[in-house]
Amino acid sequence: MTRRVGILIATSAALCLGATRVAAAPVHAIVHFRQGLGALADTSRPARLGYVRVQNGVLPIAPPLQDPRADAVLILEPPAGLAASAAPAAAASAPLELKLYGLRLLPPVVLATPGATVVVRNEDRLPVTLRCESDKTLLPSTPLQPGAKLAITLPSVGEFVIDSPEYPHLRGLVLVPRGLASRLTLSEFGTVGVAHLEAAPGVYQAKLLFAGRIAASAAVMVTASGAEFVLQVPPVGTPAAGPAAEGGPR
């Protein structure tokens, strides 16, 4: 009789623990990019505007400008002291690729998890020396030869900026966020970006990584039914660069 009572108590405790486990709730983030950010897809540009390149025989043709909105990342960080939300196991097992082409690192921003493997491929014609100031042991000091590749293992959470002492404009970012992260899905003209995440109920700090910096942030309360919030880039009250700043904040 005592053994049966013990089994019933243990079973009840297990059921209670399972009942108190809260499932992740949907989180929707909407980011509004104000005009005047210098991107090619701005709707403020007239339809007749075109781009012409002329080779002068002295300077090489520069590659087209990259739209930083295509690499914007939304980060949802839990409060300090709490464990970061785990990423799906499939994302951690698949090696990520970072290509060196046209003296650029593509993609400019790579999302990864702690312990993930990133393969850097040199698809350029020149040997390039890569470095990471935040972790000097992450990359070898010898140049990466054309056609060669190297695999690096990310040690922990952080932002690992990869650049080159030979080419100051060459820059890439490998981001291992503390929490959840997602790229944005942009609208047709790039003025609105949307990110969909799933997080356990609680208070989080939402940050938007845009053009190599945190461009907007806000505290977000995620309830059992989820959350939806809006960020503006630049934030309201900050003058925008270019013609859009003339009319004040929009």
Side-chain angles (χ1 to χ4, degrees), residues 77-127:
E77 291 185 352
L82 294 183
S85 302
S93 60
L96 304 171
E97 281 198 356
L98 189 60
K99 295 182 180 181
L100 181 61
Y101 181 75
L103 293 181
R104 284 182 175 179
L105 287 172
L106 303 174
V109 179
V110 174
L111 285 178
T113 56
T117 300
V118 179
V119 177
V120 183
R121 299 178 182 270
N122 187 359
E123 297 186 358
D124 230 326
R125 300 179 182 179
L126 301 173

Short mmCIF file of all heavy atoms in Angstrom, two decimals, residues 77-127:
data_model
loop_
_atom_site.label_atom_id
_atom_site.label_comp_id
_atom_site.label_asym_id
_atom_site.label_seq_id
_atom_site.Cartn_x
_atom_site.Cartn_y
_atom_site.Cartn_z
N GLU A 77 16.66 39.57 -26.52
CA GLU A 77 17.51 39.13 -25.42
C GLU A 77 16.69 38.97 -24.14
O GLU A 77 15.90 39.85 -23.80
CB GLU A 77 18.64 40.13 -25.16
CG GLU A 77 19.68 40.20 -26.26
CD GLU A 77 20.82 41.10 -25.90
OE1 GLU A 77 20.72 41.80 -24.86
OE2 GLU A 77 21.83 41.12 -26.63
N PRO A 78 16.89 37.87 -23.42
CA PRO A 78 16.22 37.71 -22.12
C PRO A 78 16.90 38.60 -21.09
O PRO A 78 17.99 39.13 -21.32
CB PRO A 78 16.43 36.22 -21.81
CG PRO A 78 17.69 35.87 -22.53
CD PRO A 78 17.71 36.70 -23.78
N PRO A 79 16.28 38.79 -19.91
CA PRO A 79 16.91 39.61 -18.87
C PRO A 79 18.26 39.05 -18.46
O PRO A 79 18.53 37.85 -18.61
CB PRO A 79 15.89 39.56 -17.72
CG PRO A 79 14.60 39.20 -18.36
CD PRO A 79 14.94 38.32 -19.53
N ALA A 80 19.10 39.91 -17.93
CA ALA A 80 20.43 39.49 -17.49
C ALA A 80 20.31 38.46 -16.38
O ALA A 80 19.49 38.57 -15.48
CB ALA A 80 21.23 40.70 -17.00
N GLY A 81 21.13 37.43 -16.47
CA GLY A 81 21.11 36.37 -15.47
C GLY A 81 20.30 35.17 -15.87
O GLY A 81 20.47 34.10 -15.30
N LEU A 82 19.41 35.33 -16.86
CA LEU A 82 18.62 34.20 -17.32
C LEU A 82 19.31 33.53 -18.49
O LEU A 82 20.03 34.17 -19.27
CB LEU A 82 17.22 34.67 -17.75
CG LEU A 82 16.31 35.20 -16.64
CD1 LEU A 82 14.96 35.55 -17.21
CD2 LEU A 82 16.17 34.20 -15.50
N ALA A 83 19.07 32.25 -18.63
CA ALA A 83 19.70 31.49 -19.72
C ALA A 83 19.13 31.94 -21.05
O ALA A 83 17.94 32.24 -21.18
CB ALA A 83 19.47 30.00 -19.53
N ALA A 84 19.97 31.99 -22.04
CA ALA A 84 19.53 32.36 -23.38
C ALA A 84 18.71 31.25 -24.00
O ALA A 84 18.92 30.07 -23.72
CB ALA A 84 20.74 32.68 -24.26
N SER A 85 17.76 31.63 -24.84
CA SER A 85 16.94 30.64 -25.52
C SER A 85 17.79 29.86 -26.51
O SER A 85 18.62 30.42 -27.21
CB SER A 85 15.79 31.33 -26.26
OG SER A 85 15.01 32.07 -25.34
N ALA A 86 17.58 28.57 -26.55
CA ALA A 86 18.38 27.73 -27.44
C ALA A 86 17.88 27.82 -28.86
O ALA A 86 16.69 27.93 -29.13
CB ALA A 86 18.33 26.28 -26.96
N ALA A 87 18.79 27.78 -29.80
CA ALA A 87 18.44 27.77 -31.22
C ALA A 87 18.13 26.35 -31.64
O ALA A 87 18.52 25.39 -30.97
CB ALA A 87 19.60 28.34 -32.05
N PRO A 88 17.43 26.15 -32.74
CA PRO A 88 17.15 24.80 -33.21
C PRO A 88 18.42 24.01 -33.45
O PRO A 88 19.43 24.54 -33.88
CB PRO A 88 16.38 25.05 -34.52
CG PRO A 88 15.80 26.42 -34.38
CD PRO A 88 16.79 27.19 -33.55
N ALA A 89 18.37 22.71 -33.18
CA ALA A 89 19.57 21.88 -33.31
C ALA A 89 20.04 21.81 -34.75
O ALA A 89 21.23 21.70 -35.02
CB ALA A 89 19.27 20.47 -32.79
N ALA A 90 19.12 21.89 -35.72
CA ALA A 90 19.52 21.80 -37.12
C ALA A 90 20.41 22.96 -37.52
O ALA A 90 21.33 22.82 -38.32
CB ALA A 90 18.28 21.76 -38.02
N ALA A 91 20.14 24.17 -36.95
CA ALA A 91 20.96 25.32 -37.30
C ALA A 91 22.36 25.17 -36.76
O ALA A 91 23.32 25.67 -37.33
CB ALA A 91 20.30 26.60 -36.76
N ALA A 92 22.52 24.50 -35.61
CA ALA A 92 23.84 24.35 -35.01
C ALA A 92 24.66 23.27 -35.71
O ALA A 92 25.87 23.32 -35.71
CB ALA A 92 23.69 24.02 -33.53
N SER A 93 24.01 22.27 -36.30
CA SER A 93 24.74 21.16 -36.90
C SER A 93 25.22 21.47 -38.31
O SER A 93 26.22 20.93 -38.75
CB SER A 93 23.85 19.91 -36.93
OG SER A 93 22.68 20.17 -37.70
N ALA A 94 24.52 22.31 -39.03
CA ALA A 94 24.91 22.62 -40.41
C ALA A 94 25.98 23.69 -40.41
O ALA A 94 25.81 24.75 -39.81
CB ALA A 94 23.69 23.10 -41.20
N PRO A 95 27.13 23.44 -41.08
CA PRO A 95 28.17 24.46 -41.14
C PRO A 95 27.72 25.66 -41.95
O PRO A 95 27.02 25.53 -42.96
CB PRO A 95 29.35 23.74 -41.79
CG PRO A 95 28.78 22.53 -42.43
CD PRO A 95 27.51 22.19 -41.75
N LEU A 96 28.10 26.84 -41.51
CA LEU A 96 27.75 28.07 -42.19
C LEU A 96 28.89 28.48 -43.12
O LEU A 96 30.05 28.16 -42.86
CB LEU A 96 27.48 29.18 -41.17
CG LEU A 96 26.40 28.85 -40.14
CD1 LEU A 96 26.37 29.90 -39.05
CD2 LEU A 96 25.04 28.74 -40.79
N GLU A 97 28.57 29.19 -44.19
CA GLU A 97 29.57 29.60 -45.16
C GLU A 97 29.69 31.11 -45.20
O GLU A 97 28.70 31.84 -45.16
CB GLU A 97 29.23 29.06 -46.56
CG GLU A 97 29.60 27.61 -46.75
CD GLU A 97 29.68 27.22 -48.21
OE1 GLU A 97 29.38 28.08 -49.07
OE2 GLU A 97 30.05 26.07 -48.49
N LEU A 98 30.93 31.57 -45.30
CA LEU A 98 31.25 32.98 -45.45
C LEU A 98 32.20 33.08 -46.63
O LEU A 98 33.34 32.60 -46.56
CB LEU A 98 31.88 33.52 -44.17
CG LEU A 98 32.08 35.03 -44.06
CD1 LEU A 98 30.73 35.75 -44.16
CD2 LEU A 98 32.74 35.38 -42.74
N LYS A 99 31.74 33.67 -47.72
CA LYS A 99 32.54 33.72 -48.94
C LYS A 99 33.27 35.06 -49.06
O LYS A 99 32.70 36.11 -48.76
CB LYS A 99 31.66 33.49 -50.17
CG LYS A 99 31.03 32.12 -50.23
CD LYS A 99 30.21 31.93 -51.49
CE LYS A 99 29.58 30.55 -51.55
NZ LYS A 99 28.78 30.35 -52.78
N LEU A 100 34.49 34.98 -49.54
CA LEU A 100 35.29 36.16 -49.82
C LEU A 100 35.32 36.33 -51.34
O LEU A 100 35.92 35.53 -52.05
CB LEU A 100 36.70 36.00 -49.27
CG LEU A 100 37.67 37.17 -49.47
CD1 LEU A 100 37.16 38.41 -48.77
CD2 LEU A 100 39.04 36.80 -48.92
N TYR A 101 34.62 37.36 -51.83
CA TYR A 101 34.50 37.56 -53.27
C TYR A 101 34.43 39.06 -53.55
O TYR A 101 33.66 39.78 -52.91
CB TYR A 101 33.26 36.86 -53.81
CG TYR A 101 33.09 37.00 -55.31
CD1 TYR A 101 33.88 36.26 -56.19
CD2 TYR A 101 32.17 37.89 -55.85
CE1 TYR A 101 33.74 36.39 -57.56
CE2 TYR A 101 32.02 38.03 -57.21
CZ TYR A 101 32.81 37.27 -58.06
OH TYR A 101 32.68 37.41 -59.42
N GLY A 102 35.23 39.52 -54.51
CA GLY A 102 35.24 40.94 -54.83
C GLY A 102 35.71 41.78 -53.66
O GLY A 102 35.25 42.92 -53.48
N LEU A 103 36.63 41.21 -52.87
CA LEU A 103 37.12 41.87 -51.66
C LEU A 103 35.97 42.26 -50.74
O LEU A 103 35.96 43.32 -50.11
CB LEU A 103 37.96 43.10 -52.02
CG LEU A 103 39.30 42.80 -52.72
CD1 LEU A 103 40.05 44.07 -53.01
CD2 LEU A 103 40.15 41.85 -51.89
N ARG A 104 34.99 41.36 -50.67
CA ARG A 104 33.87 41.50 -49.75
C ARG A 104 33.63 40.16 -49.06
O ARG A 104 33.92 39.10 -49.63
CB ARG A 104 32.58 41.91 -50.47
CG ARG A 104 32.52 43.36 -50.88
CD ARG A 104 31.19 43.64 -51.54
NE ARG A 104 31.00 45.03 -51.85
CZ ARG A 104 29.92 45.53 -52.45
NH1 ARG A 104 28.95 44.71 -52.81
NH2 ARG A 104 29.81 46.81 -52.70
N LEU A 105 33.09 40.22 -47.89
CA LEU A 105 32.65 39.03 -47.19
C LEU A 105 31.15 38.90 -47.39
O LEU A 105 30.38 39.81 -47.04
CB LEU A 105 33.01 39.10 -45.70
CG LEU A 105 34.49 38.92 -45.38
CD1 LEU A 105 34.76 39.21 -43.91
CD2 LEU A 105 34.95 37.51 -45.72
N LEU A 106 30.71 37.79 -47.94
CA LEU A 106 29.31 37.56 -48.25
C LEU A 106 28.82 36.29 -47.56
O LEU A 106 29.46 35.24 -47.69
CB LEU A 106 29.11 37.45 -49.77
CG LEU A 106 29.60 38.64 -50.59
CD1 LEU A 106 29.48 38.34 -52.07
CD2 LEU A 106 28.81 39.89 -50.25
N PRO A 107 27.71 36.37 -46.82
CA PRO A 107 26.95 37.58 -46.51
C PRO A 107 27.68 38.44 -45.48
O PRO A 107 28.51 37.92 -44.71
CB PRO A 107 25.64 37.03 -45.95
CG PRO A 107 26.01 35.72 -45.34
CD PRO A 107 27.10 35.16 -46.21
N PRO A 108 27.38 39.74 -45.42
CA PRO A 108 28.06 40.61 -44.46
C PRO A 108 27.77 40.25 -43.00
O PRO A 108 28.58 40.54 -42.12
CB PRO A 108 27.53 42.00 -44.80
CG PRO A 108 27.00 41.89 -46.19
CD PRO A 108 26.49 40.50 -46.32
N VAL A 109 26.61 39.65 -42.75
CA VAL A 109 26.23 39.27 -41.39
C VAL A 109 25.84 37.80 -41.39
O VAL A 109 25.01 37.37 -42.21
CB VAL A 109 25.05 40.12 -40.87
CG1 VAL A 109 24.66 39.69 -39.46
CG2 VAL A 109 25.42 41.60 -40.88
N VAL A 110 26.42 37.03 -40.48
CA VAL A 110 26.14 35.60 -40.34
C VAL A 110 25.60 35.36 -38.95
O VAL A 110 26.21 35.78 -37.95
CB VAL A 110 27.40 34.75 -40.60
CG1 VAL A 110 27.12 33.29 -40.30
CG2 VAL A 110 27.88 34.92 -42.02
N LEU A 111 24.46 34.69 -38.86
CA LEU A 111 23.88 34.30 -37.57
C LEU A 111 24.35 32.90 -37.23
O LEU A 111 24.25 31.99 -38.06
CB LEU A 111 22.36 34.34 -37.63
CG LEU A 111 21.70 35.72 -37.59
CD1 LEU A 111 20.19 35.59 -37.71
CD2 LEU A 111 22.06 36.47 -36.33
N ALA A 112 24.84 32.71 -36.01
CA ALA A 112 25.36 31.41 -35.61
C ALA A 112 25.03 31.15 -34.15
O ALA A 112 24.48 32.00 -33.45
CB ALA A 112 26.88 31.35 -35.84
N THR A 113 25.35 29.95 -33.70
CA THR A 113 25.15 29.54 -32.31
C THR A 113 26.51 29.20 -31.70
O THR A 113 27.46 28.91 -32.41
CB THR A 113 24.23 28.32 -32.24
OG1 THR A 113 24.79 27.27 -33.05
CG2 THR A 113 22.83 28.66 -32.74
N PRO A 114 26.62 29.22 -30.37
CA PRO A 114 27.91 28.87 -29.74
C PRO A 114 28.35 27.47 -30.15
O PRO A 114 27.58 26.52 -30.14
CB PRO A 114 27.60 28.94 -28.25
CG PRO A 114 26.44 29.87 -28.15
CD PRO A 114 25.62 29.65 -29.38
N GLY A 115 29.61 27.36 -30.54
CA GLY A 115 30.15 26.08 -30.97
C GLY A 115 29.91 25.75 -32.42
O GLY A 115 30.36 24.69 -32.89
N ALA A 116 29.22 26.62 -33.15
CA ALA A 116 28.95 26.36 -34.57
C ALA A 116 30.23 26.51 -35.39
O ALA A 116 31.18 27.19 -34.99
CB ALA A 116 27.88 27.31 -35.10
N THR A 117 30.25 25.87 -36.55
CA THR A 117 31.39 25.93 -37.46
C THR A 117 31.06 26.85 -38.63
O THR A 117 30.01 26.72 -39.25
CB THR A 117 31.75 24.53 -37.98
OG1 THR A 117 32.08 23.69 -36.88
CG2 THR A 117 32.93 24.60 -38.93
N VAL A 118 31.96 27.77 -38.91
CA VAL A 118 31.82 28.68 -40.03
C VAL A 118 32.97 28.42 -41.00
O VAL A 118 34.14 28.47 -40.61
CB VAL A 118 31.84 30.16 -39.58
CG1 VAL A 118 31.73 31.09 -40.78
CG2 VAL A 118 30.70 30.42 -38.60
N VAL A 119 32.64 28.12 -42.25
CA VAL A 119 33.64 27.86 -43.28
C VAL A 119 33.83 29.12 -44.10
O VAL A 119 32.88 29.65 -44.68
CB VAL A 119 33.20 26.69 -44.19
CG1 VAL A 119 34.22 26.48 -45.30
CG2 VAL A 119 33.04 25.42 -43.37
N VAL A 120 35.06 29.62 -44.13
CA VAL A 120 35.40 30.82 -44.90
C VAL A 120 36.09 30.37 -46.19
O VAL A 120 37.11 29.67 -46.14
CB VAL A 120 36.32 31.76 -44.10
CG1 VAL A 120 36.60 33.03 -44.89
CG2 VAL A 120 35.70 32.09 -42.75
N ARG A 121 35.53 30.75 -47.32
CA ARG A 121 36.07 30.38 -48.64
C ARG A 121 36.59 31.63 -49.35
O ARG A 121 35.89 32.64 -49.42
CB ARG A 121 35.00 29.71 -49.51
CG ARG A 121 34.44 28.43 -48.93
CD ARG A 121 33.37 27.88 -49.85
NE ARG A 121 32.77 26.67 -49.32
CZ ARG A 121 33.22 25.45 -49.56
NH1 ARG A 121 34.28 25.28 -50.35
NH2 ARG A 121 32.63 24.38 -49.05
N ASN A 122 37.79 31.54 -49.87
CA ASN A 122 38.35 32.64 -50.66
C ASN A 122 38.09 32.36 -52.14
O ASN A 122 38.81 31.58 -52.77
CB ASN A 122 39.85 32.80 -50.39
CG ASN A 122 40.41 34.03 -51.07
OD1 ASN A 122 39.70 34.76 -51.76
ND2 ASN A 122 41.70 34.27 -50.88
N GLU A 123 37.08 32.98 -52.68
CA GLU A 123 36.75 32.84 -54.09
C GLU A 123 37.24 34.03 -54.89
O GLU A 123 36.78 34.28 -56.01
CB GLU A 123 35.24 32.66 -54.25
CG GLU A 123 34.72 31.39 -53.58
CD GLU A 123 33.25 31.14 -53.86
OE1 GLU A 123 32.63 31.98 -54.55
OE2 GLU A 123 32.72 30.12 -53.39
N ASP A 124 38.19 34.76 -54.33
CA ASP A 124 38.79 35.89 -55.00
C ASP A 124 40.08 35.47 -55.69
O ASP A 124 40.52 34.33 -55.56
CB ASP A 124 39.06 37.02 -54.00
CG ASP A 124 38.51 38.34 -54.51
OD1 ASP A 124 38.54 38.56 -55.73
OD2 ASP A 124 38.07 39.15 -53.68
N ARG A 125 40.70 36.41 -56.38
CA ARG A 125 41.93 36.11 -57.11
C ARG A 125 43.18 36.41 -56.29
O ARG A 125 44.29 36.10 -56.72
CB ARG A 125 41.98 36.93 -58.40
CG ARG A 125 40.84 36.66 -59.36
CD ARG A 125 40.97 37.52 -60.60
NE ARG A 125 39.86 37.31 -61.52
CZ ARG A 125 39.72 37.95 -62.68
NH1 ARG A 125 40.64 38.85 -63.04
NH2 ARG A 125 38.70 37.70 -63.46
N LEU A 126 43.00 37.07 -55.14
CA LEU A 126 44.14 37.50 -54.34
C LEU A 126 44.14 36.82 -52.99
O LEU A 126 43.06 36.52 -52.44
CB LEU A 126 44.10 39.03 -54.14
CG LEU A 126 44.11 39.90 -55.39
CD1 LEU A 126 43.90 41.36 -55.00
CD2 LEU A 126 45.41 39.72 -56.14
N PRO A 127 45.31 36.57 -52.42
CA PRO A 127 45.37 36.10 -51.02
C PRO A 127 44.99 37.24 -50.08
O PRO A 127 45.37 38.40 -50.30
CB PRO A 127 46.82 35.67 -50.85
CG PRO A 127 47.57 36.46 -51.87
CD PRO A 127 46.65 36.64 -53.04
#
